[in-house]
Amino acid sequence: MSPRLDTRSLDSGLLIRSEHSMSHRCYDLAFFIALEAFEASAFHLSFELAASELNVTPGEISRQIKVVEDELGAPLFARAASGVVLTSVGKDLYTALAGIFSKTCRALTTIKRGSRTPMSRLVPPMRYGRSI
């Protein structure tokens, strides 16, 4: 059974997807861009360096960070004499994202090099003992 999508749009750009009593948030592309801005900022501990890496302004990085902070309801950075530092929530999120982005990058590189089986030959994943 595939999940049903509740198309009620939320202010933060989220859609709710539910299957039985479980619900998952399905984020739109704009939120993933905000996560990318956060990850770059956390890596560099600098909005300016993150902006340079992503070819945007530091102000845009700040706006993207605010989107993520508003969604989580917690600050991700604290100001320090040397710039910014990650809060405990920011450290947790960065740790998770760094691993996910790294794994995704490796998968994309593998696919680009043609080292994967063509899509038509892939076997669909199994769920509850049958293909989905």
Side-chain angles (χ1 to χ4, degrees), residues 99-131:
I100 291 166
F101 283 11
S102 177
K103 193 173 192 178
T104 302
C105 185
R106 284 193 305 273
L108 292 171
T109 299
T110 300
I111 291 166
K112 281 182 178 181
R113 288 184 180 152
S115 302
R116 299 285 282 175
T117 305
M119 293 298 282
S120 61
R121 293 186 184 174
L122 290 178
V123 177
M126 300 295 286
R127 180 179 279 183
Y128 308 115
R130 61 180 181 238
S131 295

Side-chain angles (χ1 to χ4, degrees), residues 29-38 41 54 56-70 76:
L29 183 59
F31 190 76
F32 285 106
I33 291 169
L35 288 175
E36 179 185 35
F38 164 74
S41 300
L54 299 175
V56 297
T57 66
E60 182 59 24
I61 294 291
S62 289
R63 283 186 288 282
Q64 296 296 331
I65 298 300
K66 178 139 177 45
V67 167
V68 179
E69 289 176 333
D70 288 349
L76 300 171

Side-chain angles (χ1 to χ4, degrees), residues 76-99:
L76 300 171
F77 292 96
R79 298 268 179 221
S82 60
V84 293
V85 294
L86 288 168
T87 63
S88 61
V89 171
K91 287 177 187 175
D92 290 345
L93 182 58
Y94 176 68
T95 299
L97 287 177

